[in-house]
Amino acid sequence: MALDDPAVGASEAALTLRYGADAPVGLRWNPTIAELLAHRSVRAYLPDALPTGTIETLVAAGQSAASSSNLQLWSVVAVTDADKRRELAALAGGQKHIEQAPLILLWVADLARAKLLADEAGQPSEGFDFLESFTVAAIDAALAAQNAVVAAESLGLGTVYIGALRNQPEQVAAVAGLPPHAAVVFGLVVGKPDPLRPAAVKPRLPQGVVLHREAYALEAQREPVARYDDTARAFQASQEQDVVGWRALLIARGRSAASLNGRDRLKAALRALGFALR
């Protein structure tokens, strides 16, 4: 982008929204970076059907992400059926945007395909029983999904991840018709954002907290985290949310097993779905 390009001004505005007074300086700009910095989690959608070819486009973008050793240990289940979306919304704690939007993509850590191919070849598949293999599958799914998000936003669509589908993994697997050795690790709602209820750019931690040069520094994070807590409070107030700051949200999530909303039994649920996790 040229410095006098209007998009530069919009990009710098998004950067300010993302970081406030802690915005890093000297960033390099292009349309891709500008799109990434303007990302919003959209929770209000129009019910309009997506254009033909949208799902295939998003999956092609996902398949173009990196994959560990090219094993491609992931799959995605595209759900457009209204009754299934309603059921998934209930399983995710009543998140209405799953019902509103025309599509939710269920991203699957998939060792079922690998097990099938090993069995067909008459070969052992012990390596797929280890935690490392599930971790690779979950990471591959996440990398692919984020590529799909970037593609969706480039098409003017909105998205929001749904981690709450891990609250009840067995039931979600049943809705998705998954075989053993496969589990939904998160969902991704996709649709046209409702212009009457626009999403906001959510502030992030200052780079001084997450960016470490040469070696990790923990003690230096206290002061910038405190500043970010103030920024988070201001954002929450602007969105008419409970004004509690960021630290309170973080601490509440780790306070007890109950804070995980059912995900404290994730290991048992994954084992019930066929993952040995040795």
Side-chain angles (χ1 to χ4, degrees):
M1 294 181 182
L3 291 179
D4 58 351
D5 190 327
V8 172
S11 301
E12 291 178 342
L15 181 66
T16 299
L17 291 171
R18 188 67 75 198
Y19 289 106
D22 282 300
V25 298
L27 268 66
R28 301 182 64 182
W29 290 106
N30 62 37
T32 300
I33 294 170
E35 190 80 38
L36 289 169
L37 287 174
H39 167 75
R40 297 161 169 82
S41 291
V42 177
R43 293 180 173 85
Y45 294 88
L46 300 176
D48 306 13
L50 297 176
T52 300
T54 298
I55 294 174
E56 293 80 2
T57 301
L58 301 186
V59 174
Q63 287 190 284
S64 299
S67 172
S68 181
S69 300
N70 198 32
L71 298 179
Q72 303 179 69
L73 298 177
W74 64 273
S75 292
V76 62
V77 178
V79 178
T80 58
D81 179 80
D83 289 336
K84 285 191 173 183
R85 285 189 285 110
R86 192 173 299 112
E87 188 173 359
L88 290 167
L91 290 170
Q95 298 190 47
K96 292 297 183 181
H97 36 276
I98 299 176
E99 298 182 53
Q100 291 174 348
L103 172 67
I104 181 169
L105 298 173
L106 305 180
W107 297 86
V108 179
D110 186 0
L111 298 181
R113 179 167 53 245
K115 290 273 192 179
L116 174 66
L117 296 177
D119 289 346
E120 285 185 346
Q123 296 295 317
S125 57
E126 179 186 13
F128 296 121
D129 290 336
F130 285 83
L131 176 61
E132 163 65 7
S133 292
F134 174 79
T135 301
V136 166
I139 291 172
D140 268 14
L143 294 173
Q146 188 58 24
N147 258 27
V149 166
V150 175
E153 292 179 346
S154 77
L155 296 172
L157 300 174
T159 65
V160 62
Y161 283 105
I162 308 294
L165 292 180
R166 295 192 302 278
N167 293 1
Q168 303 185 66
E170 299 98 328
Q171 293 90 329
V172 172
V175 173
L178 299 186
H181 313 295
V184 173
V185 286
F186 51 83
L188 182 69
V189 171
V190 182
K192 296 180 181 178
D194 184 345
L196 299 180
R197 293 183 291 169
V201 173
K202 186 176 293 184
R204 293 292 197 243
L205 287 164
Q207 287 197 1
V209 176
V210 301
L211 172 61
H212 305 266
R213 298 186 184 276
E214 312 305 338
Y216 187 95
L218 182 60
E219 296 300 321
Q221 297 178 32
R222 287 195 174 93
E223 194 273 332
V225 165
R227 290 200 310 274
Y228 176 67
D229 211 53
D230 292 337
T231 300
R233 288 173 182 275
F235 176 81
Q236 290 161 350
S238 74
Q239 300 298 303
E240 299 182 349
Q241 301 171 354
D242 292 339
V243 180
V244 297
W246 177 75
R247 284 180 291 193
L249 294 175
L250 176 68
I251 291 167
R253 176 57 66 91
R255 183 168 290 129
S256 68
S259 303
L260 298 177
N261 298 312
R263 281 172 256 183
D264 53 298
R265 56 174 298 276
L266 182 59
K267 184 187 293 185
L270 290 173
R271 283 180 168 156
L273 292 172
F275 295 89
L277 303 179
R278 293 166 55 187

